[in-house]
């Protein structure tokens, strides 16, 4: 049962073949059995999950109308507030904090009867591509426990690949949903910026952050997408328009007449050979399904990474200023004599990790008087150019595609001392965030050179999220009929306790 | 010998700049739904947003935008079709997010002016104060530093934080530099803040109570030698909590700076605190090493883009300008300058006008509100308007006009209303205060008085008119003071054959 898709689980629940309490217990048991190796979770809310499950079962027994995913368990990235549940964003500085409020995503999950199993591991404040920056230890890739599960949402992606949860919530600032999906053989979607409320998402970079669904199938991601998306008056940047019909799109299984744009700048040198070959094969599947392939050029994508590493740290330097030990989280150095500023200083020194400090310093510098125009100002101009590149490309194609990442999962420790090499992981995912458009990663096979999953990225224009689900769903179905079984069936079995 | 104010202005020319912070009186805060009531228990009006809890996001209060636009329009500003919030980054324990959401280079209103009139040696003269910008921002929390000698953070044993104020909408109104005021600089500063306060009050956008901090003024002052054509280094004086203090702070700072310059010392660009008792300022934070606030556009909020039609709708609702209204009322009511000023200063202009609109004579209305009612209000340390309504005062004035009450009785009626005995009619009823004008009832009292003092009556009959006083007094006493003394006199003399 736990290896099923979320929609299959939902169907079994609807047919009363299993109760939500039973299904939740199965996942809690699986977590107990394998999470000591994977370390996908920072906190498992056993009692809370079972009581949410029991409430859904009671409603179902009473014949109440329930959401399509009611009773299905989910893993929540630890960057989302959930009332009363420890929320750390992977940082020591928030150790012990229990938010007094639910994020809008959590409110929506609860309203849909989706059972929250616990909080998943992540790079501290979502800064990283490997979860190695978590203050609470690295998450391991279920495909190879010596490898990274991607980041920042490595915990969410690994929980899916390890069958600890059929659904998860991620957040994506520069690729934190899609890159972990790619390296774990799962599906991850960054919706259009403003498609899902950010209220309760602990901010890394406000203008880039976007929460989205993580799942093992495109349809499951679509179902979760519709459960969490929509306008929220608590988030000024959320879009006041109907949610694109992504579930219907995921079920279309037809791409005839659609133009698929291959982004010239997101391939070639720097991309692993096995990644390129699987990407090309997937394109052929789409051609076979009736899509037309066109090549598009986005010349300014070249500058996206550099601009991203000015904008994101700038916003982060301000967003993370509130962690000052005054009202929540840890307080260090308060010996009764030290002044408030000194305590703030010591707490931040102890509470933040190396990468977070690096970005705070970078961002503070970029916003400083005399440097603002050269750094933050120029980066914003690049951002405008990237938006224009996308606009031109979307005039030529319905969706754009590229490999999600240049490589498959690398070894834990391989890049942790080389921030620039680490940053390059996100070279293909960052432009999507810079322009606020939609992006999806789905698995398209294992790289012949190392046997690890390869991700295929589909990008759609703002509020056209349905198009990437349509293409993703079709591609997934074509590959499934070729493979005969989902890709995760090829993952090595984890030892169970 | 230290320079006096007159010495200072003989040699130096002041330049002013005024920054006024206004707390808007919206029911909820700038970026969340929390209440804004003044004086609530600490930390009872807070939520994840105004506490800056991780994950929370701001959402703009539309009413605050409306109020800001109204202020801009009343100050003859252009309203920006596109303006943005920006983050002002700095660390302070009472700043929940360690940045203040404010506006920086894209404020909502720009380029306005306010004309103020002051009395000069050559009569009344108008100074035009140019407004650079009006922008929106949120207030910070409040710190209470406990222990230590100064009440400041340095040296305090510990500090208490109250976040009720955090996120209250503020509007900052910044003037351009105000040159050419010469010796009138202190009066111009005071007149500007006064006029601004009256405008804000007439717009109904703020409580404008300087003593409660809902209107705060920072005064920038610099001096340069007359004719030098230069601008001197400025200081910024804060903690100016009354209109009078605005005037005193400016003149005090002019004298202080002149004395430094005279001794060849330089003026330090710094924030200074006004000391209410001495009228002097003491140094605060030095701004020589300008703090870098690292402003950048607030990514959590979309730009403010008010619709042109909406702006015009708001413009059409602007009330009459306080200065024009004062002129109009002064003429209509025929009030001397001084009386007009006392009415304005006592904040009773609206109340008196309302009373007049209810039919009361302007002079009577003014004298009741400024006289008896203000006296009682002072005793109770409350606002006159909290004691009695304009309608009740108008009713009392009408009763006097009809002869139903004497001035003396009217005072008792007003006193009764104020002590909560009910409406004027109810007080009259309960206390039995109506003027006794029924002749037969008075005659009974008069005859009783004559019977009690036959000798006195005899003397009156004999032509000794002044002796009537004793009998009139007896009648007044017998009627509990409710008789009209003139009427008693008339009836008495007639009865004794003396008219």
């Amino acid at each position: 049962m736990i290896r099923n898709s979320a929609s299959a689980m939902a169907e079994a629940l609807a047919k009363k073949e299993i109760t939500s309490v039973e299904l939740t217990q199965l996942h809690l048991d699986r977590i107990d059995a394998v999470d000591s190796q994977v370390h996908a979770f920072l906190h498992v809310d056993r009692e809370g999950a079972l009581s949410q499950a029991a409430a859904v079962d009671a409603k179902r027994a009473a014949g109440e109308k329930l959401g399509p995913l009611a009773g299905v368990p989910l893993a929540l990235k630890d960057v989302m507030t959930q009332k009363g549940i420890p929320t750390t964003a992977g940082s020591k500085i928030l150790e012990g904090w229990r938010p007094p409020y639910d994020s809008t995503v959590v409110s929506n999950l609860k309203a849909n009867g989706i059972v929250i199993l616990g909080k998943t591991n992540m790079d501290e404040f979502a800064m990283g591509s490997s979860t190695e920056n978590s203050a609470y230890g690295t998450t391991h890739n279920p495909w190879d426990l010596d490898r990274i599960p991607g980041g920042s949402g490595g915990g969410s992606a690994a929980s899916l690949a390890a069958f600890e949860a059929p659904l998860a919530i991620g957040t994506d600032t520069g690729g934190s949903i899609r890159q972990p999906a790619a390296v774990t053989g799962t599906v991850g979607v960054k919706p259009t910026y403003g498609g899902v409320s950010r209220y309760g998402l602990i901010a890394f970079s406000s203008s880039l952050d976007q929460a989205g669904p993580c799942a093992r199938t495109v349809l499951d991601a679509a179902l979760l997408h519709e459960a969490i998306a929509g306008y929220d008056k608590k988030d000024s940047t959320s879009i006041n328009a109907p949610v694109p019909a992504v579930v219907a799109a995921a079920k279309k299984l037809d791409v005839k007449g659609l133009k698929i744009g291959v982004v010239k700048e997101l391939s070639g040198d720097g991309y692993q050979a096995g990644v390129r070959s699987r990407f090309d094969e997937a394109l052929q599947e789409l051609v076979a399904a009736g899509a037309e392939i066109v090549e598009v050029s986005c010349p300014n994508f070249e500058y996206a990474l550099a601009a991203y590493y000015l904008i994101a740290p700038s916003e982060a330097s301000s967003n993370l200023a509130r962690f000052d030990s005054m009202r929540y989280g840890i307080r260090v150095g308060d010996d009764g004599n030290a002044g408030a500023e000194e305590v703030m200083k010591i707490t931040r020194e102890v509470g933040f990790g190396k990468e977070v400090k690096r970005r705070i310093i970078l961002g503070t510098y970029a916003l400083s008087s005399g440097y603002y125009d050269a750094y933050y100002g120029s980066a914003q101009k690049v951002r405008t150019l990237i938006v224009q590149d996308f606009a031109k490309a979307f005039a030529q194609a319905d969706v754009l595609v590229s490999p999600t990442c240049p490589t498959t999962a690398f070894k834990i420790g391989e890049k942790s001392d080389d921030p620039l090499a680490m940053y390059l992981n996100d070279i293909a995912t960052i432009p999507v965030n810079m322009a606020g458009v939609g992006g999806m990663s789905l698995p398209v096979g294992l790289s012949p050179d190392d046997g690890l999953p390869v991700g295929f990225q589909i990008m759609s224009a703002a509020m056209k999220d349905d198009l990437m689900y349509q293409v993703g769903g079709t591609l997934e179905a074509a590959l499934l009929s070729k493979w005969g079984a989902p890709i995760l069936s090829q993952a090595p079995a984890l030892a169970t306790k | 010998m230290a320079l006096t104010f007159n010495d200072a202005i003989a040699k130096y020319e002041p330049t002013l700049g005024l920054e006024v912070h206004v707390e808007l009186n919206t029911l909820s805060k700038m970026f969340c739904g929390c209440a804004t009531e003044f004086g609530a228990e600490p930390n009872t009006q807070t939520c994840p947003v105004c506490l800056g809890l991780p994950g929370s996001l701001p959402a703009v209060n539309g009413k605050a935008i409306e109020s800001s636009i109204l202020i801009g329009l009343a100050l003859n500003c252009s309203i920006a079709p596109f303006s943005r919030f920006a983050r002002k980054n700095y660390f302070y324990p009472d700043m929940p997010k360690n940045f203040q959401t404010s506006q920086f280079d894209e404020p909502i209103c720009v380029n306005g002016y306010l004309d103020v009139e002051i009395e000069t040696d050559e009569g009344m003269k108008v100074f035009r104060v140019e407004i650079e910008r009006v922008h929106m921002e949120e207030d910070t929390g409040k710190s209470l530093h406990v222990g230590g000698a100064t009440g400041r953070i340095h040296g305090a044993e510990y500090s208490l934080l109250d976040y009720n104020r955090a996120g209250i909408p503020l509007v900052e109104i910044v003037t351009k530099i105000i040159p050419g005021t010469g010796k009138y600089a202190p009066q111009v500063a005071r007149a500007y803040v006064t006029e601004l306060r009256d405008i804000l009050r007439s717009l109904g956008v703020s409580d404008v109570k300087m003593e409660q901090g809902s209107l705060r003024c920072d005064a920038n002052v610099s001096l340069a030698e007359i004719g030098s054509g230069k601008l001197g280094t400025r200081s910024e004086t804060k903690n100016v909590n009354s209109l009078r203090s605005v005037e005193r702070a400016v003149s005090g700072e002019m004298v202080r700076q002149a004395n430094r310059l005279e001794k060849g010392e330089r003026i330090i660009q710094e924030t200074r605190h006004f000391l209410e008792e001495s009228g002097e300022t003491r140094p605060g934070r030095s701004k020589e090493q300008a703090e870098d606030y690292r402003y950048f556009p607030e990514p959590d909020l979309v730009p403010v883009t008010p619709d042109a039609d909406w702006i015009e709708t708001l413009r059409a609702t602007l009330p009459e300008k306080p200065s024009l209204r004062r002129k109009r009322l002064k003429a209509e009511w025929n009030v001397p300058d001084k009386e007009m000023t006392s009415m304005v200063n006592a904040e009773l202009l609206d109340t008196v006008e309302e009373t007049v609109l209810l039919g009361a004579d302007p002079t009577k209305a003014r004298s009741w509100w400024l006289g008896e009612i203000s006296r009682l209000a002072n005793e109770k340390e409350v606002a006159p308007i909290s004691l009695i309504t304009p309608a009740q005062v108008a009713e009392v004035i009408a009763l006097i006009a009809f002869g139903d009450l004497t001035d003396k009785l009217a005072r008792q009626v007003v006193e009764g209303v104020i002590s909560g005995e009910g409406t004027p009619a109810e007080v009259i009823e309960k206390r039995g205060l109506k003027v006794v004008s029924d002749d037969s009832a008075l005659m009974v009292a008069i005859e009783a008085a004559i019977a009690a003092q036959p000798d006195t009556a005899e003397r009156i009959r004999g032509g000794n008119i002044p002796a009537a006083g004793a009998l009139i007094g007896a009648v007044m006493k017998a009627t509990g003071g409710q008789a009209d003394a003139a009427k008693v006199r008339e009836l008495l003399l007639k009865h004794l054959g003396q008219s």
Side-chain angles (χ1 to χ4, degrees):
Chain A
M1 176 56 79
I2 58 167
R3 300 178 79 91
N4 282 349
S5 66
S7 28
M9 291 179 195
E11 207 180 313
L13 286 164
K15 288 184 182 161
K16 301 188 181 174
E17 293 166 2
I18 190 170
T19 65
S20 177
V21 167
E22 288 162 351
L23 186 62
T24 301
Q25 190 59 57
L26 286 175
H27 285 96
L28 291 172
D29 292 346
R30 175 72 178 174
I31 292 169
D32 286 340
V34 302
D35 206 52
S36 56
Q37 302 157 70
V38 178
H39 190 41
F41 285 87
L42 291 179
H43 177 81
V44 180
D45 180 23
R46 288 182 175 77
E47 278 175 33
L50 288 169
S51 83
Q52 290 169 53
V56 174
D57 286 339
K59 283 186 183 168
R60 198 184 302 278
E64 280 184 43
K65 192 171 154 43
L66 295 167
L69 291 173
V72 179
L74 168 144
L76 182 66
K77 191 177 180 183
D78 200 32
V79 76
M80 282 286 177
T81 63
Q82 182 183 352
K83 191 173 178 178
I85 303 296
T87 300
T88 66
S91 181
K92 189 174 168 57
I93 209 160
L94 267 179
E95 195 168 25
W97 183 55
R98 290 172 187 259
Y101 76 105
D102 277 338
S103 54
T104 298
V105 164
V106 165
S107 303
N108 291 344
L109 291 171
K110 287 181 175 174
N112 275 278
I114 297 170
V115 175
I116 304 171
L117 294 169
K119 309 298 286 290
T120 58
N121 197 13
M122 56 185 285
D123 286 297
E124 184 178 4
F125 288 109
M127 298 177 187
S129 310
S130 67
T131 74
E132 290 166 295
N133 295 333
S134 168
Y136 304 98
T138 305
T139 297
H140 300 264
N141 192 326
W143 287 83
D144 176 350
L145 295 172
D146 291 332
R147 291 179 188 266
I148 59 100
S152 64
S156 283
S159 74
L160 300 173
F163 302 103
E164 294 170 287
L167 296 170
I169 293 295
T171 61
D172 190 312
T173 306
S176 288
I177 288 176
R178 291 161 289 158
Q179 182 256 9
V183 300
T184 57
T186 59
V187 177
V189 177
K190 186 210 92 81
T192 295
Y193 182 79
V196 177
S197 171
R198 289 187 297 115
Y199 189 79
L201 190 178
I202 298 175
F204 158 19
S205 178
S206 312
S207 72
L208 299 162
D209 295 342
Q210 180 64 67
C214 307
R216 291 193 291 257
T217 73
V218 174
L219 178 61
D220 287 357
L223 287 163
L224 183 54
H225 186 130
E226 288 195 2
I228 59 171
Y231 175 66
D232 177 15
K233 64 176 170 35
K234 290 186 201 152
D235 174 3
S236 312
T237 61
S238 85
I239 295 171
N240 194 354
V243 178
V246 295
V247 171
K251 289 177 173 168
K252 264 189 187 163
L253 307 183
D254 180 14
V255 289
K256 279 187 210 70
L258 282 188
K259 278 190 186 164
I260 298 188
V262 177
V263 183
K264 198 173 82 179
E265 287 78 7
L266 299 180
S267 60
D269 288 349
Y271 288 78
Q272 190 179 321
V275 168
R276 269 153 58 189
S277 62
R278 290 299 178 223
F279 175 74
D280 290 339
E281 286 165 30
L283 282 182
Q284 290 320 303
E285 294 293 335
L286 287 171
V287 171
E292 185 191 338
I293 307 293
V294 295
E295 191 185 73
V296 298
S297 175
C298 296
N300 295 296
F301 282 15
E302 187 189 334
Y303 310 110
L305 191 75
Y308 175 87
Y309 276 99
L310 289 168
I311 292 170
S314 294
E315 293 182 6
S317 71
S318 173
N319 284 329
L320 270 55
R322 73 188 64 197
F323 301 102
D324 62 3
S325 80
M326 287 294 122
R327 296 171 303 287
Y328 43 77
I330 61 166
R331 179 180 288 186
V332 187
D334 185 5
D335 59 4
N337 294 315
E341 268 181 38
E342 203 182 339
V343 173
M344 278 184 199
K345 237 184 252 177
I346 299 169
T347 302
R348 287 167 70 83
E349 169 60 31
V350 173
F352 287 139
K354 209 166 63 177
E355 182 63 24
V356 170
K357 284 179 196 157
R358 179 160 31 235
R359 297 200 197 186
I360 290 173
I361 292 167
L362 201 61
T364 304
Y365 184 75
L367 288 176
S368 295
S369 158
Y371 298 98
Y372 180 93
D373 291 338
Y375 294 120
Y376 189 80
S378 303
Q380 289 294 4
K381 284 179 193 148
V382 169
R383 195 168 183 176
T384 305
L385 294 173
I386 291 167
V387 169
Q388 290 167 356
D389 275 1
F390 268 114
K392 281 181 205 148
F394 282 125
Q396 299 166 56
D398 297 292
V399 295
L400 306 179
V401 296
S402 77
T404 309
C405 314
T407 68
T408 55
F410 49 88
K411 287 253 165 71
I412 289 170
E414 192 180 324
K415 298 184 181 178
S416 45
D417 292 329
D418 186 351
L420 286 180
M422 190 71 92
Y423 295 171
L424 280 170
N425 266 293
D426 298 331
I427 195 148
T429 48
I430 278 174
V432 163
N433 302 80
M434 296 290 272
V437 300
M440 166 189 284
S441 177
L442 76 158
V444 289
L446 304 180
S447 173
D449 37 27
D450 55 19
L452 291 166
V454 172
F456 183 91
Q457 177 174 233
I458 309 171
M459 298 164 266
S460 60
M463 291 311 267
K464 301 266 191 199
D465 302 47
D466 49 325
L467 286 175
M468 64 186 172
Y469 278 97
Q470 185 183 341
V471 174
T474 309
L475 177 57
E476 178 186 66
L479 291 169
L480 186 61
S481 71
K482 192 165 115 181
W483 299 334
I487 194 168
L488 281 169
S489 63
Q490 298 182 57
L494 293 166
T496 53
K497 278 202 292 193
Chain B
M1 215 7 223
L3 295 189
T4 63
F5 181 79
N6 284 335
D7 300 333
I9 56 166
K11 186 163 179 192
Y12 298 101
E13 168 67 34
T15 300
L16 288 176
L18 298 164
E19 290 171 25
V20 171
H21 284 87
V22 186
E23 260 181 19
L24 299 181
N25 60 1
T26 51
L27 293 175
S28 58
K29 292 186 178 180
M30 187 79 218
F31 299 118
C32 63
C34 286
T36 53
E37 200 188 319
F38 181 80
E41 277 289 295
N43 297 309
T44 54
Q45 295 171 352
T46 60
C47 75
V49 177
C50 56
L51 286 175
L53 292 189
S56 66
L57 292 173
V60 173
N61 179 339
K63 188 77 190 166
I65 305 270
E66 182 182 306
S67 298
S68 306
I69 293 175
L70 282 170
I71 292 169
L73 291 171
L75 297 176
N76 309 294
C77 291
S78 312
I79 310 302
F82 178 99
S83 83
R84 272 201 289 198
F85 286 97
R87 291 187 184 178
K88 180 179 184 181
N89 294 288
Y90 66 98
F91 282 84
Y92 201 78
D94 64 17
M95 283 248 296
K97 297 166 293 182
N98 285 320
F99 62 78
Q100 182 187 29
T101 307
S102 179
Q103 294 196 291
F104 180 50
D105 52 356
E106 295 162 296
I108 188 156
C109 317
V110 292
N111 291 331
Y113 63 85
L114 180 60
D115 287 335
V116 299
E117 204 174 17
I118 61 158
E119 205 176 334
T120 69
D121 297 342
E122 298 87 42
M124 298 303 279
K125 195 178 161 194
V126 172
F127 280 88
R128 171 157 295 188
V129 176
E130 291 190 278
I131 310 285
E132 184 174 295
R133 56 189 281 148
V134 174
H135 76 245
M136 299 176 279
E137 60 188 31
E138 58 179 341
D139 211 340
T140 62
K142 219 187 272 182
S143 310
L144 180 65
H145 305 297
V146 182
T150 58
R152 299 166 73 186
I153 190 164
H154 294 290
E157 267 175 57
Y158 59 93
S159 302
L160 297 172
L161 297 170
D162 176 9
Y163 294 99
N164 282 353
R165 200 180 69 177
I168 298 258
L170 286 181
V171 162
E172 183 172 344
I173 301 159
V174 183
T175 67
K176 294 182 181 172
I177 59 166
I178 311 167
T181 52
K183 67 173 175 178
Y184 301 115
Q187 288 100 303
V188 169
R190 178 180 182 157
Y192 167 76
V193 179
T194 309
E195 188 65 22
L196 187 58
R197 182 196 63 172
D198 291 349
I199 285 181
L200 295 167
R201 185 185 289 132
S202 77
L203 293 172
V205 296
S206 169
D207 299 336
V208 289
K209 288 183 180 151
M210 290 190 90
E211 69 284 3
Q212 285 185 2
S214 57
L215 184 80
R216 295 169 232 162
C217 175
D218 301 342
N220 291 301
V221 176
S222 70
L223 292 186
E225 268 192 64
I226 292 174
S228 69
K230 289 184 192 153
L231 273 183
T233 304
R234 69 186 158 84
S235 66
E236 180 181 1
T237 303
K238 292 185 181 285
N239 195 34
V240 187
N241 293 328
S242 69
L243 294 172
R244 185 163 164 265
S245 298
V246 173
E247 190 172 342
R248 290 170 74 214
V250 170
S251 64
E253 194 48 24
M254 284 166 67
V255 172
R256 184 191 70 87
Q257 291 189 14
N259 277 293
R260 278 190 75 91
L261 292 170
E262 207 57 19
K263 281 186 257 173
E265 294 167 341
R266 69 190 186 99
I267 304 299
I268 300 165
Q269 188 174 332
E270 64 187 350
T271 300
R272 300 185 65 85
H273 288 262
F274 180 66
L275 304 169
E276 196 73 48
E277 309 76 42
S278 62
E280 289 169 351
T281 62
R282 71 161 162 72
R285 180 161 44 102
S286 167
K287 284 198 171 177
E288 297 262 295
Q289 283 174 320
E291 186 148 5
D292 185 353
Y293 292 119
R294 304 189 310 281
Y295 280 102
F296 72 103
E298 166 59 282
D300 284 332
L301 291 168
V302 291
V304 180
T305 53
D307 189 68
D309 290 343
W310 183 44
I311 294 172
E312 288 319 306
T313 310
L314 290 177
R315 194 192 300 278
T317 66
L318 285 182
E320 182 182 16
K321 277 211 159 52
S323 55
L324 296 178
R325 174 164 171 251
R326 280 198 304 274
K327 280 204 178 101
R328 176 176 61 79
L329 292 179
K330 184 171 154 359
E332 282 176 15
W333 298 346
N334 193 22
V335 193
D337 273 335
K338 210 169 174 179
E339 290 258 332
M340 198 70 201
T341 311
S342 2
M343 229 181 319
V344 170
N345 288 347
E347 299 179 8
L348 282 170
L349 202 56
D350 289 346
T351 311
V352 172
E353 190 185 19
E354 206 180 326
T355 313
V356 171
L357 289 174
L358 288 163
D361 170 70
T363 311
K364 294 258 162 54
R366 207 173 71 227
S367 101
W368 273 103
W369 282 107
L370 279 175
E372 185 68 7
I373 302 168
S374 286
R375 188 182 64 76
L376 291 167
N378 282 343
E379 274 174 16
K380 296 179 196 288
E381 298 183 343
V382 293
I385 192 70
S386 69
L387 295 176
I388 188 166
T389 68
Q392 290 167 337
V393 174
E395 188 181 343
V396 169
I397 292 170
L399 288 170
I400 299 168
F402 292 137
D404 288 348
L405 288 177
T406 59
D407 280 354
K408 190 177 159 202
L409 286 180
R411 273 199 288 279
Q412 290 183 46
V413 173
V414 165
E415 195 257 317
V417 171
I418 288 173
S419 1
E421 291 168 34
T423 64
E426 286 164 357
V427 174
I428 290 167
E429 176 68 29
K430 275 186 212 154
R431 293 196 181 182
L433 290 178
K434 207 123 188 170
V435 168
V436 179
S437 56
D438 179 348
D439 290 2
S440 58
L442 283 181
M443 282 315 294
V444 172
I446 288 168
E447 276 166 16
I450 292 169
Q453 302 183 50
D455 297 353
T456 312
E458 212 44 49
R459 270 186 277 143
I460 297 168
R461 279 197 187 94
N464 185 354
I465 306 296
L471 289 182
I472 295 169
V475 172
M476 294 305 286
K477 197 173 173 190
T479 57
Q482 292 177 46
D484 180 343
K487 185 84 183 167
V488 174
R489 179 186 170 87
E490 183 193 325
L491 290 172
L492 176 74
L493 293 180
K494 197 172 164 194
H495 188 67
L496 297 176
Q498 291 303 314
S499 64

